[in-house]
Amino acid sequence: MKVAIVGASGAVGQEFLRVLDERNFPLDELVLFGSSRSAGSKYMFKGKEYEVQLLKHGDDFKDVDIAFTSAGAGISKEYAEDITKFGAVMIDNSSAFRMDDNVPLVVPECNAADALNRPLGIIANPNCTTIMMVVCLQPIERLSHINRIHVASYQSASGAGAAAMAELQQQYKQLAADEQPEVNKFAYQLAYNVIPQIDVFQDNGYTKEEMKMFNETKKIMHTDARCSAMCVRISSLRAHSEAVWVETDQPLDVNDVKAALAAADGVTLIDDPQRVGAKANPDAAQETMEGLPYPMPLYTAGKDDIYVGRVRKDLACDNGITFWLSGDQIKKGAALNAVQIAEYLIKVGNVK
């Protein structure tokens, strides 16, 4: 098994290396690709040093089985043919192919089998906010069909890349020193602020990020459910959170919903409001978040699962359920989901 990572020096590229290591992914050979700026950089993986090669057109992917790409939509479109022409499976983390009818859009907990039908040799990794939400919606969908979804997302700086994370940290330092904070990656200062815009506005008043959640949810879940989103950038570093309201065909019992979420793959239920005020066990919090009444991005950063809490009836809708979720944007929202797709293909013997 030969694996390639395109965009190896970026935040998601680096997370690919960590996730592949953590999960002991069955690869025999690894090759890293990047831009002229990152070519020549060296990274350790399982005790061996790897040098980033310059991404260029040609036959560099001839022997590659799986290529994880996370270098932006433009690069993915430009190099897709080079990557796939010899049979490599391209698992793409950009927005380039998500809504292409010939490219499956996959979250393994929801629609893993869609990855088997890939006419172009490409599988798309969904938007991070969509991934986190549908992992939690799927168990509810099994109880009763979901007709409508309303969601407000609270998205971390990491969604805009490693430089954005560094900018947020730098802004806090500058403000603490009574200096004017530098603003480059965001439209406005993010430190001590929230920005109700992620990506560019569309003609209907929604942002591109919000429309991704509308369109991608339909494709992943094979549903007619409509999703109305408000996406907000907050000063969390790398974990996103979402407040979600769903309306189902039939009214659901809250305890049944909690049980379904607790039993679902990729979901951990942390819903004990009686523990408000109790401090998390400092030794256990990193693994189990023991003692917390609900999930928070401070604790979900670095975790595999999507954590859910505040599950309750929607007081404004007889058939409504509302809940809160939090998960690591770089991990499950990007690298881990892609690696899980690859693991599924290997499990069913569907790699070249």
Side-chain angles (χ1 to χ4, degrees), residues 180-237:
Q180 183 68 27
E182 294 181 15
V183 178
N184 296 304
K185 296 300 294 183
F186 302 107
Y188 301 96
Q189 173 188 317
L190 184 58
Y192 300 118
N193 193 23
V194 297
I195 303 172
Q197 177 193 353
I198 298 177
D199 217 321
V200 297
F201 281 99
Q202 308 296 287
D203 291 341
N204 62 0
Y206 285 80
T207 65
K208 191 175 180 181
E209 182 86 353
E210 292 158 355
M211 292 310 300
K212 287 176 184 177
M213 297 191 76
F214 178 91
N215 293 312
E216 293 178 17
T217 299
K218 286 176 174 287
K219 185 172 180 179
I220 296 163
M221 295 183 66
H222 303 286
T223 182
D224 59 357
R226 291 176 292 172
C227 176
S228 182
M230 169 72 82
C231 292
V232 181
R233 186 77 69 191
I234 67 170
S235 57
S236 169
L237 195 60

Side-chain angles (χ1 to χ4, degrees), residues 93-119:
N93 196 58
S94 79
S95 62
F97 303 103
R98 287 174 183 160
M99 299 314 298
D100 189 314
D101 290 339
N102 292 313
V103 176
L105 185 67
V106 177
V107 176
E109 293 88 346
C110 299
N111 64 330
D114 286 4
L116 305 179
N117 181 23
R118 46 180 193 275

Side-chain angles (χ1 to χ4, degrees), residues 6 34-35 54-58 61 69 71-85 90 92 94-97 122:
V6 177
S35 65
L54 178 64
L55 180 66
K56 59 185 186 300
H57 295 291
F61 292 86
T69 56
I75 295 297
S76 291
K77 290 177 181 179
E78 180 179 351
Y79 287 93
E81 184 177 349
D82 295 273
I83 293 169
T84 60
K85 67 181 177 182
M90 177 179 174
D92 184 49
S94 79
S95 62
F97 303 103
I122 303 168

